[in-house]
Amino acid sequence: MRYAVLQIVGLTLVVLAALAATPSQAQPVVVLQNPDVSLDLQAQGQVWVDANAEASIEQVASGQFQAAMRPPRSNTIYTLGTRAALWQHYRFLKPLGSQHQWVMEFPIPLLDKVTVYQQSANGQWLGQTAGDTLPVSSWPEPGRYAQFSLDLQPGVVRDVYVRIQHQTQINIAVKVTSSVTRNQRLQVDYMLIGVVFGALLLLVVASAAQSWVYRDRLYGWYAAYAAIMMGVIATTSGMAGHLLWGESAAWNNAAQGFLGLIGGSIALLMVRVLCSSNAHNARLDRISYWTALAGPVLALLFVVVDRVWGVRLIGVYLTLCVVLGLATAFLASRRGDVVGLWVLGAFVPLSVAALAAVARIFGWAPSSWLIEHSVMIALTVEAPLLLVALNIRSRERHIIETREQAMSSQDALTGLLTPHLFSDRLSQVLSRATRYREPAAVVYVELVNYGYVKRTHGIAVAEQSLLRSVIKLRRILRDVDTVGRVDEACFGLIMEDVSTREPVNELAARLIAAGLMPLKGLKPEVLLQFHVAGVLLSERLMDGPALSQALSDLLASMAERTRRPIRFLEPELTRPSPLAVDSHGGDSDTHALGNSR
């Protein structure tokens, strides 16, 4: 208890001595007491804008510009441009007995250049410089943003001067934290960034694989989009400058704007493709398309133009992308498109993050952890929702493609095989029957009164009769039997492993009886009259076209009111074998043997 009281008294005396110093030093002292809390210095110390950036540290530290220095205000937006420099002056006191190391942080990855000056033991001012216009290896502490260790002695008030240069409008966040707290927070930050990166990388790999396997370009677009968004997160968080291209200061300074423009471009393309705006709003689609294509061109232009104009270019372009994307998604959801609703839900948080970044770029919003990581937070919501929309749209496209493929192989009205596919199946069965003597039966079924129904009741009732015929056929056929529509009112059947006429007769009789049974409630009441022509391949083997023509001719030869609606092609006559009987009626070999005897 006594020691604590003495420590408080000693600290009070030190602070009073500092306040009683020369006028150039008469400013509040920042006492670093709690190592678990980061101190925000935006409203601490004194600041001065050097309009020509010509003042040296010796001039500033000697109090030559003390009269120009003023207490800062929180969330101040500074417009320094290319010629001015911002000076900040802080006074720190580490309590007696404190062993904690303290770090001054500038948590703004895009900050151009910041130099921190501290006085050495011999009274010389030493400066350390960091910023995205310098290689990261030259920083005193390489990281995602500028950090400087403070050389503080317990019980001694130390002056620290900061010189900042930045071309665009910016709110400069300055914090002081203990090294232990800083390390813990950095680990949490990198863990969060790593989780988002891992999820996006998984989406990139999975989408690229699906695009290759299913030949679906939508998944390829999504993989490219997720990969570019990984780059955007890497640049906005400062991780890319720290780990990827830290030695290239020029690219590190331009990468955030370059990838931001590319990200806005591909995000707008994704919204356009998923919402299928070209089919519903041609004018909005054309504007979105050309705006998205302008993104890569503007990104290249951003690298070479003045940074002030480049920042304005980013702000205008991203705002335009947000407006067009939201309009496209909203109109799609308004017309009842489920995909449009998912895209709208996915694009809203990303739009908010983009607008927050634009506000920070133009100096309309102060720097904060939330704004710095807003894109990353938005992507954790946007990426899964956009993937859901992509899966729905891809499934719809696959269904359409499946139907298109089915239309080429199946009859549009009945769903049976088309004539050319039925002919292919017939040729295969005939080939096996010729080569391996596999038994099979080929049957043609004709709806005889189709023409009468069509003339009397119209095409709709006639087509309904065809569908009823198909239903009755499928009820009595085996699953292994092949059935196709070979003519307007004629169906072809291939019944494999059938060597006698009994199964064919049974099937035909059941079909004819089912057709003559009236359907309850059907108006008009239409009966189905069938004629059946068949052939056993074990009795008569022909090539495909000839067999089809023979069955068709057999059906055509039947009268409409025939009493024999089930008929077969006559069996093929058996030709004499080489060892046939001779003219005397006996076996030629036996006859020859008898003669020899």
Side-chain angles (χ1 to χ4, degrees):
M1 181 68 178
R2 181 180 301 174
Y3 176 76
V5 172
L6 291 175
Q7 188 178 19
I8 294 174
V9 171
L11 181 60
T12 304
L13 292 175
V14 171
V15 173
L16 291 175
L19 294 176
T22 61
S24 64
Q25 297 174 329
Q27 70 176 65
V29 177
V30 180
V31 182
L32 306 177
Q33 288 183 321
N34 189 352
D36 299 327
V37 178
S38 296
L39 298 178
D40 188 353
L41 301 181
Q42 288 197 66
Q44 302 288 337
Q46 292 182 326
V47 297
W48 167 59
V49 177
D50 182 7
N52 298 317
E54 295 177 350
S56 65
I57 178 59
E58 288 76 13
Q59 292 175 322
V60 176
S62 65
Q64 183 175 342
F65 302 101
Q66 184 64 32
M69 285 197 168
R70 295 289 184 271
R73 291 181 298 177
S74 296
N75 302 326
T76 301
I77 306 298
Y78 295 98
T79 305
L80 302 178
T82 58
R83 302 177 62 182
L86 174 67
W87 283 91
Q88 297 174 327
H89 178 208
Y90 301 101
R91 308 190 74 200
F92 297 107
L93 174 62
K94 184 165 70 171
L96 292 172
S98 175
Q99 301 297 323
H100 294 285
Q101 299 297 320
W102 294 86
V103 179
M104 178 178 280
E105 298 179 319
F106 299 84
I108 310 173
L110 54 82
L111 190 60
D112 287 348
K113 187 177 182 181
V114 54
T115 304
V116 174
Y117 295 96
Q118 301 182 75
Q119 201 169 22
S120 63
N122 59 7
Q124 183 181 1
W125 288 98
L126 302 177
Q128 295 177 316
T129 305
D132 68 355
T133 58
L134 300 172
V136 176
S137 59
S138 66
W139 295 10
E141 292 194 24
R144 296 189 296 116
Y145 46 76
Q147 305 171 81
F148 304 88
S149 294
L150 297 178
D151 185 14
L152 304 177
Q153 300 299 324
V156 179
V157 177
R158 299 297 298 269
D159 292 279
V160 176
Y161 290 90
V162 179
R163 184 177 185 269
I164 297 174
Q165 290 178 292
H166 192 79
Q167 294 186 20
T168 60
Q169 291 180 316
I170 190 172
N171 166 245
I172 301 173
V174 186
K175 294 184 178 181
V176 172
T177 183
S178 66
S179 58
V180 175
T181 303
R182 187 272 308 265
N183 293 336
Q184 291 177 348
R185 191 185 67 250
L186 288 180
Q187 290 176 2
V188 173
D189 289 347
Y190 271 107
M191 181 191 70
L192 295 177
I193 296 173
V195 169
V196 176
F197 256 74
L200 287 177
L201 182 60
L202 179 62
L203 291 177
V204 169
V205 175
S207 300
Q210 285 183 298
S211 176
W212 181 75
V213 171
Y214 297 114
R215 300 296 188 268
D216 192 336
R217 290 183 298 176
L218 278 179
Y219 284 101
W221 279 110
Y222 185 81
Y225 169 76
I228 291 175
M229 286 303 168
M230 288 177 62
V232 172
I233 292 177
T235 54
T236 55
S237 65
M239 192 183 72
H242 179 205
L243 302 177
L244 298 180
W245 48 68
E247 296 307 308
S248 177
W251 171 244
N252 192 26
N253 189 32
Q256 187 170 13
F258 181 88
L259 290 177
L261 290 168
I262 297 295
S265 171
I266 195 169
L268 184 57
L269 279 177
M270 282 296 300
V271 173
R272 173 183 172 272
V273 171
L274 287 176
C275 293
S276 302
S277 58
N278 59 334
H280 302 279
N281 195 322
R283 179 177 299 178
L284 178 62
D285 178 73
R286 285 196 301 269
I287 296 174
S288 300
Y289 177 73
W290 289 109
T291 301
L293 289 186
V297 178
L298 296 179
L300 295 175
L301 183 63
F302 173 83
V303 177
V304 297
V305 300
D306 179 75
R307 190 62 68 239
V308 175
W309 286 101
V311 166
R312 295 173 182 173
L313 178 66
I314 294 174
V316 172
Y317 183 76
L318 290 183
T319 302
L320 182 59
C321 288
V322 167
V323 172
L324 291 176
L326 288 177
T328 301
F330 174 75
L331 292 177
S333 62
R334 190 177 180 180
R335 64 174 180 263
D337 189 353
V338 178
V339 174
L341 188 61
W342 282 98
V343 172
L344 182 62
F347 201 66
V348 165
L350 187 63
S351 300
V352 173
L355 293 178
V358 170
R360 186 185 67 174
I361 288 174
F362 283 110
W364 299 336
S367 300
S368 65
W369 185 92
L370 184 62
I371 293 181
E372 177 189 344
H373 297 285
S374 59
V375 175
M376 182 178 69
I377 296 173
L379 281 175
T380 60
V381 179
E382 188 255 3
L385 296 181
L386 203 62
L387 184 61
V388 173
L390 173 63
N391 288 332
I392 295 175
R393 184 65 77 206
S394 179
R395 185 169 65 248
E396 291 177 352
R397 293 183 60 180
H398 286 165
I399 291 175
I400 294 175
E401 291 175 358
T402 303
R403 289 177 178 175
E404 290 178 352
Q405 294 175 358
M407 289 179 64
S408 63
S409 61
Q410 296 178 348
D411 180 66
L413 175 63
T414 62
L416 303 179
L417 292 179
T418 55
H420 71 278
L421 281 182
F422 181 81
S423 298
D424 292 341
R425 297 282 182 89
L426 179 59
S427 298
Q428 295 173 8
V429 172
L430 291 174
S431 176
R432 290 196 299 270
T434 303
R435 182 175 301 179
Y436 305 111
R437 301 298 180 184
E438 292 185 1
V442 180
V443 181
Y444 271 27
V445 177
E446 183 181 12
L447 181 61
V448 183
N449 60 336
Y450 173 79
Y452 170 78
V453 173
K454 185 176 180 180
R455 291 190 304 271
T456 306
H457 303 289
I459 185 64
V461 177
E463 290 182 348
Q464 184 185 57
S465 301
L466 288 177
L467 292 177
R468 290 173 56 201
S469 303
V470 172
I471 293 173
K472 296 181 183 299
L473 271 174
R474 290 193 179 279
R475 284 178 179 175
I476 61 178
L477 284 176
R478 303 173 301 175
D479 293 337
V480 296
D481 294 335
T482 301
V483 56
R485 186 181 181 187
V486 296
D487 202 351
E488 184 178 11
C490 185
F491 309 103
L493 313 178
I494 301 176
M495 305 172 63
E496 300 187 49
D497 295 328
V498 173
S499 56
T500 62
R501 295 186 177 185
E502 283 76 12
V504 179
N505 282 321
E506 180 182 358
L507 179 145
R510 291 176 58 189
L511 179 62
I512 293 172
L516 296 177
M517 294 178 60
L519 182 62
K520 185 178 180 181
L522 179 63
K523 299 295 181 180
E525 184 174 330
V526 176
L527 301 181
L528 305 177
Q529 300 177 11
F530 295 109
H531 286 177
V532 179
V535 62
L536 297 179
L537 298 186
S538 59
E539 295 180 351
R540 188 164 185 170
L541 193 58
M542 309 166 63
D543 60 354
L547 182 62
S548 299
Q549 187 61 44
L551 292 174
S552 299
D553 293 342
L554 182 57
L555 287 173
S557 65
M558 299 183 193
E560 185 174 349
R561 298 287 183 177
T562 181
R563 296 184 179 182
R564 293 178 53 223
I566 306 173
R567 300 185 186 183
F568 288 87
L569 293 179
E570 293 298 329
E572 188 177 19
L573 295 177
T574 304
R575 294 181 179 180
S577 65
L579 299 179
V581 294
D582 60 4
S583 58
H584 298 282
D587 188 293
S588 58
D589 289 342
T590 306
H591 184 69
L593 183 59
N595 291 336
S596 64
R597 289 177 180 175

